[in-house]
């Protein structure tokens, strides 16, 4: 692969790490950036203008909780004016009266609302926030009343895997267009809480059957996306659609990263918007080029006929489990470390039940 990269399709813009919830699987780094480290309004606007020039088609406005940025309407107006599709990724808690209307008026295209449990106690326990469920449901109703398309994102793990049928009913009752049943990826806080979050194999198999049945029964009514759990897979997912291939992310301080957990790879150096242009980083950053395409691959990926399907899987998972970001993702059955995934499942599932919800939460006020 030596051709110049094509323009990116999407950017995940993490406007802030601040969030009213403390989800025990949050993909944000263990050390969150404080508000005074966030890019200014003008810097984000300049970044979005450059992204549009670069050819980016969609921007996911995320966090933390992106509605904590009072300038969110300005960002959406700027992107709408440039014809860039905007998706607001929100926890749906603490959104002031009239705010969703203003975001809609600014030109917002889509809302993705995360719900931690189909039942209120699960949401409250996982996000460590009392009363969160009713606020989320109210946000969902307001989004649908405004005529905005709504996706419900349901991160799945041991403590809510039996709620998958209830999540499907909830998405239908909220008139969502899409439901993402997304098994937790073990990075960030999820890696720290891996033993308490890991489901058992029988529960995962039941979940797959339930989702497949619902996908076929609800065709044309509710689209259901399924993100399979890596630790139970035989092949990895194409993380981010391939490293620096279609999309990238921006941290609240303007750090440009190929994916959420990329900063856990100690051999790579990442750059900030402002010190270098987005275009230059996308095309020329050594960190972006480190795992782009398939030239970097070693065996067994190098000669594998799936190498342009999954792009060798997740570099951060290879780093976390194999200790080498260039290794084949251990989620792959061809990895010499694949057995390690089964061992980690076994280790988690053999925890005494008294430790089953011994979560580690981020401290309030940290961000
Ligand atoms: S995963 Fe939870 S804590 Fe993390 S940003 Fe999303 S809502 Fe907030
Ligand atoms: S060997 Fe590499 S390219 Fe082949 S399936 Fe496994 S991770 Fe994918």
């Amino acid at each position: 692969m030596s051709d110049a990269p094509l323009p990116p399709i999407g950017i995940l813009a993490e406007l802030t790490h601040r969030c009213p919830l403390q989800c025990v699987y949050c993909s944000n780094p263990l050390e969150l950036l404080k508000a005074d480290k966030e890019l200014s309004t003008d810097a984000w606007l300049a970044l979005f203008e450059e992204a549009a020039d670069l050819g980016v088609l969609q921007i996911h406005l995320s966090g933390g909780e992106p509605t904590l940025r009072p300038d969110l309407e300005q960002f959406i107006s700027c992107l709408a004016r440039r014809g860039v599709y905007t998706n607001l990724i929100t926890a749906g808690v603490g959104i002031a009266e009239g705010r969703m209307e203003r975001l809609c008026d600014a030109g917002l295209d889509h809302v993705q609302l995360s719900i931690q449990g189909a039942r209120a106690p699960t949401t409250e326990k996982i996000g460590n926030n009392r009363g969160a469920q009713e606020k989320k449901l109210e946000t969902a109703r307001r989004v649908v009343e405004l005529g905005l398309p709504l996706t419900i994102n349901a991160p799945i793990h041991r403590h809510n895997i039996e709620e998958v049928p209830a999540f499907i009913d909830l998405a239908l009752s909220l008139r969502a267009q899409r439901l993402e049943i997304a098994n937790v990826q073990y990075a960030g806080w999820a890696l720290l809480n891996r033993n308490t979050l890991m489901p058992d194999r029988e529960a995962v198999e039941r979940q797959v059957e339930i989702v497949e049945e619902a996908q076929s029964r609800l065709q044309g009514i509710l689209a259901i996306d399924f993100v399979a759990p890596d630790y139970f897979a035989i092949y990895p997912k194409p993380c981010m659609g391939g490293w620096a291939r279609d999309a990238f992310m921006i941290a609240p301080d303007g750090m440009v990263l190929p994916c959420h957990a990329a900063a856990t790879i100690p051999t790579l150096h990442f750059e900030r918007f402002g010190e270098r242009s987005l275009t230059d980083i996308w095309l020329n950053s050594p960190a972006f080029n480190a795992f782009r395409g398939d030239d970097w691959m070693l065996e067994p990926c190098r000669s594998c006929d799936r190498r342009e399907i999954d792009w060798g899987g997740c570099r951060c998972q290879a780093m976390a489990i194999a200790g080498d970001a260039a290794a084949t993702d251990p989620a792959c059955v061809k990895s010499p470390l694949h057995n390690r995934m089964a061992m980690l499942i076994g280790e988690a599932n053999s925890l005494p039940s008294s430790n089953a919800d011994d979560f580690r939460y981020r401290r309030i006020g940290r961000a």
Side-chain angles (χ1 to χ4, degrees):
M1 207 273 329
S2 47
D3 294 344
L6 294 171
I9 294 168
I11 293 180
L12 179 73
E14 301 218 311
L15 303 178
T16 178
H17 277 162
R18 291 171 288 144
C19 183
L21 303 191
Q22 296 173 272
C23 300
V24 291
Y25 49 69
C26 183
S27 57
N28 284 334
L30 300 184
E31 283 299 325
L32 300 178
L33 290 165
K34 294 192 168 73
D36 63 359
K37 295 283 187 292
E38 292 171 11
L39 289 185
S40 67
T41 304
D42 286 347
W44 276 116
L45 288 169
L47 185 152
F48 291 140
E49 291 283 1
E50 197 196 330
D53 292 342
L54 181 56
V56 168
L57 301 176
Q58 54 192 32
I59 298 220
H60 305 276
L61 297 158
S62 179
E65 175 50 49
T67 58
L68 288 174
R69 287 285 306 218
D71 39 14
L72 184 57
E73 286 84 341
Q74 282 176 262
F75 302 155
I76 292 171
S77 297
C78 162
L79 292 164
R81 187 172 40 75
R82 296 298 308 269
V84 179
Y85 186 91
T86 47
N87 174 30
L88 175 67
I89 300 179
T90 177
V93 171
I95 301 181
E97 190 74 36
R99 185 82 194 277
M100 199 53 80
E101 286 74 1
R102 291 197 294 279
L103 297 172
C104 182
D105 289 345
L108 181 64
D109 290 301
H110 180 272
V111 176
Q112 178 180 316
L113 171 68
S114 63
I115 302 193
Q116 286 69 13
R119 303 187 182 105
T122 313
T123 294
E124 295 188 359
K125 183 166 95 178
I126 298 300
N128 204 20
N129 184 298
R130 288 184 61 188
Q133 189 81 335
E134 194 39 53
K135 293 173 193 155
K136 286 170 177 285
L137 301 187
E138 180 53 28
T139 297
R141 288 181 204 111
R142 280 156 62 194
V143 167
V144 172
E145 275 165 21
L146 287 166
L148 286 167
L150 173 69
T151 293
I152 300 294
N153 169 256
I156 301 296
H157 44 78
R158 182 194 304 176
H159 300 267
N160 67 1
I161 196 163
E162 303 300 343
E163 296 182 23
V164 167
F167 268 120
I168 295 167
D169 292 345
L170 181 65
L172 285 169
S173 73
L174 292 172
R175 294 188 286 141
Q177 292 192 350
R178 186 170 288 275
L179 169 65
E180 283 179 3
I181 298 288
N183 282 266
V184 159
Q185 308 291 304
Y186 294 100
W189 286 86
L191 188 58
L192 202 67
N193 282 307
R194 182 172 56 196
N195 277 349
T196 43
L197 290 169
M198 185 78 72
D200 64 46
R201 194 170 292 278
E202 290 72 31
V204 168
E205 284 165 3
R206 271 198 306 281
Q207 174 204 41
V208 170
E209 279 171 28
I210 290 164
V211 170
E212 285 176 353
E213 184 280 325
Q215 281 171 326
S216 120
R217 174 170 48 90
L218 297 171
Q219 261 180 34
I221 300 168
L222 175 69
I224 305 179
D225 295 333
F226 183 63
V227 180
D230 270 345
Y231 281 54
F232 297 83
I234 53 168
Y235 293 122
K237 285 189 277 298
C239 185
M240 294 292 283
W243 182 273
R245 191 160 173 272
D246 293 330
F248 60 94
M249 65 158 288
I250 319 274
D253 61 350
M255 188 76 81
V256 185
L257 297 162
C259 76
H260 250 111
T264 61
I265 301 177
T267 50
L268 299 181
H269 169 71
F270 300 102
E271 291 151 294
R272 280 197 180 78
F273 173 74
E275 295 164 359
R276 201 170 174 181
S277 72
L278 272 192
T279 310
D280 195 17
I281 293 174
W282 175 254
L283 293 175
N284 303 316
S285 154
F288 273 62
N289 284 326
F291 302 115
R292 190 172 244 150
D294 57 10
D295 284 352
W296 59 273
M297 289 180 184
L298 307 170
E299 293 296 347
C301 294
R302 177 171 281 279
S303 57
C304 178
D305 58 9
R306 287 182 56 86
R307 68 184 180 281
E308 291 195 1
I309 297 172
D310 62 37
W311 302 99
C314 175
R315 297 305 86 226
C316 306
Q317 188 149 265
M319 184 71 229
I321 293 175
D324 176 5
T328 294
D329 184 337
C332 178
V333 72
K334 296 185 187 178
S335 159
L337 292 174
H338 186 65
N339 288 349
R340 179 106 179 91
M341 305 300 257
M343 273 172 48
L344 291 167
I345 296 170
E347 215 172 279
N349 289 167
S350 63
L351 267 190
S353 56
S354 54
N355 292 346
D357 57 0
D358 194 9
F359 295 128
R360 289 179 66 182
Y361 292 101
R362 129 175 101 77
R363 278 186 286 131
I364 287 182
R366 185 78 191 233

